Amino acid sequence: MYHLFLEFDNLEPGVKSVEDLKYVIREDQHTAFVMSAVVARFVKDALIMNHTIISLKNCRFAFEGGKEFVEFDGKGRSKIFTDTPDWFITPGAFARSQWLVNHELHDLVTPQFISTFLEMFADVKKRREHCNLLFDLQLDEGHFNGRSASSKSKPENRRRGSTKQKVSDLGSFELFSQFFSRLKKAAEANQFPTVQRLTDTAEVAKVPAALKSAVRTWFKAISSELPPNSKRVGAGNPELFCAPVRAQIQLIENYGLERYYKKLSKAIADAGDQYITDFTFKP
């Protein structure tokens, strides 16, 4: 299990802050994200102080588009690479795989993808850069941050993102309580409990992946469904969707919220690498 963080100027980062980094590295599964310059600087500064950083164990970092690399082993001991390591993935390959998953773009139909993509990038320059990578337009005649586009990573080293997500838990009753409160509020108001509402943010792309994954897992445990996506919301009739959710909320409150979460957290841990879509839970 490892966490991969890549500093690519021409891809919108999924891990923008140190707080985002902390969320992600708590996951017990492989993750891969573009990190911001702020996060990259934080890691580099930390390395100046100490070459062993326990909190960054099993993390891999590629800086400046693939000019510098550092890997932390299972005990947090760092290793700096002079050559490109096997785990590095090029910006284009990453954009067409895990980046789409991280930014909730992988399962959108074409019209929705185009609309969401345009909303994400009001800046035409950034939109052009992302299109260049996503569709391999080769607008830069083969150079990304000084690296030749013809220099491709080995096929076996490319990490292709799966559209299926695995169960996840943050191990925090406080965060679960916040999620439950938002779910109850949405259900009582007959509003679709989307990921945006359940995380209390208007831009789901800015929500740390670890939190989104946990929210989906928790919601699936309660409702036996995944949070409604844009297609389900577009179909309307939130009253029909919310009625059984309200019933489950009442049962959980009667059972005891903290008691419920303790058993749910254990069930998630026992589920291991099970996919969220296959996960079921009864206290």
Side-chain angles (χ1 to χ4, degrees):
M1 183 276 296
Y2 64 84
H3 303 291
L4 175 63
F5 300 97
L6 307 155
E7 186 183 15
F8 294 145
D9 290 340
N10 43 8
L11 272 178
E12 184 71 11
V15 172
K16 297 185 178 182
S17 66
V18 175
E19 197 61 34
D20 291 345
L21 178 67
K22 291 178 180 178
Y23 266 118
V24 171
I25 60 181
R26 291 173 64 180
E27 287 194 334
D28 292 326
Q29 58 184 358
H30 292 312
T31 58
F33 287 94
V34 174
M35 62 179 166
S36 68
V38 172
V39 175
R41 175 50 55 191
F42 168 79
V43 176
K44 287 183 176 181
D45 288 347
L47 277 169
I48 294 174
M49 302 298 295
N50 200 332
H51 290 292
T52 298
I53 306 174
I54 297 175
S55 61
L56 295 180
K57 64 181 182 181
N58 298 319
C59 289
R60 298 170 177 176
F61 296 89
F63 304 106
E64 298 182 48
K67 292 182 179 179
E68 300 177 43
F69 308 92
V70 63
E71 177 179 345
F72 294 87
D73 64 16
K75 294 184 178 180
R77 294 172 300 201
S78 64
K79 175 183 178 182
I80 297 175
F81 293 82
T82 54
D83 296 321
T84 303
D86 289 341
W87 47 258
F88 179 68
I89 183 171
T90 62
F94 187 82
R96 293 185 288 274
S97 57
Q98 191 63 33
W99 185 86
L100 292 172
V101 177
N102 292 345
H103 288 273
E104 303 287 316
L105 298 171
H106 62 285
D107 60 353
L108 299 181
V109 296
T110 303
Q112 291 175 323
F113 176 88
I114 294 172
S115 176
T116 304
F117 187 82
L118 292 175
E119 289 177 3
M120 284 179 66
F121 302 107
D123 186 298
V124 175
K125 180 182 178 182
K126 296 300 292 183
R127 190 188 307 161
R128 178 179 182 273
E129 289 175 344
H130 283 71
C131 282
N132 183 29
L133 292 172
L134 283 170
F135 302 107
D136 194 23
L137 301 179
Q138 301 181 26
L139 298 178
D140 299 327
E141 285 300 319
H143 289 279
F144 299 107
N145 293 332
R147 293 177 61 86
S148 171
S150 62
S151 176
K152 298 181 180 179
S153 63
K154 299 176 183 178
E156 62 271 24
N157 293 328
R158 294 187 180 185
R159 185 180 185 276
R160 293 179 173 83
S162 170
T163 58
K164 279 191 171 185
Q165 298 184 15
K166 295 178 181 179
V167 293
S168 179
D169 182 38
L170 296 176
S172 169
F173 176 66
E174 181 181 354
L175 291 176
F176 177 77
S177 297
Q178 293 173 9
F179 152 82
F180 190 82
S181 177
R182 292 167 187 153
L183 173 61
K184 182 177 180 180
K185 181 179 178 181
E188 289 180 343
N190 282 322
Q191 296 177 326
F192 281 111
T194 60
V195 172
Q196 288 93 329
R197 283 199 173 95
L198 296 177
T199 56
D200 193 28
T201 180
E203 296 184 63
V204 72
K206 292 185 177 181
V207 180
L211 178 58
K212 287 189 287 188
S213 181
V215 162
R216 289 192 178 95
T217 303
W218 295 337
F219 186 84
K220 180 65 163 58
I222 292 172
S223 69
S224 298
E225 296 187 48
L226 291 173
N229 55 23
S230 56
K231 183 177 180 180
R232 178 64 184 89
V233 173
N237 206 346
E239 296 85 357
L240 182 64
F241 189 94
C242 290
V245 176
R246 285 196 299 271
Q248 289 300 312
I249 288 172
Q250 184 62 57
L251 290 174
I252 293 171
E253 289 181 330
N254 292 341
Y255 186 81
L257 187 61
E258 188 166 5
R259 180 186 175 197
Y260 177 88
Y261 176 67
K262 284 182 179 178
K263 290 198 173 184
L264 172 58
S265 187
K266 183 179 184 304
I268 294 172
D270 291 342
D273 290 335
Q274 186 177 6
Y275 291 119
I276 296 175
T277 51
D278 302 325
F279 181 66
T280 58
F281 171 71
K282 288 185 179 181

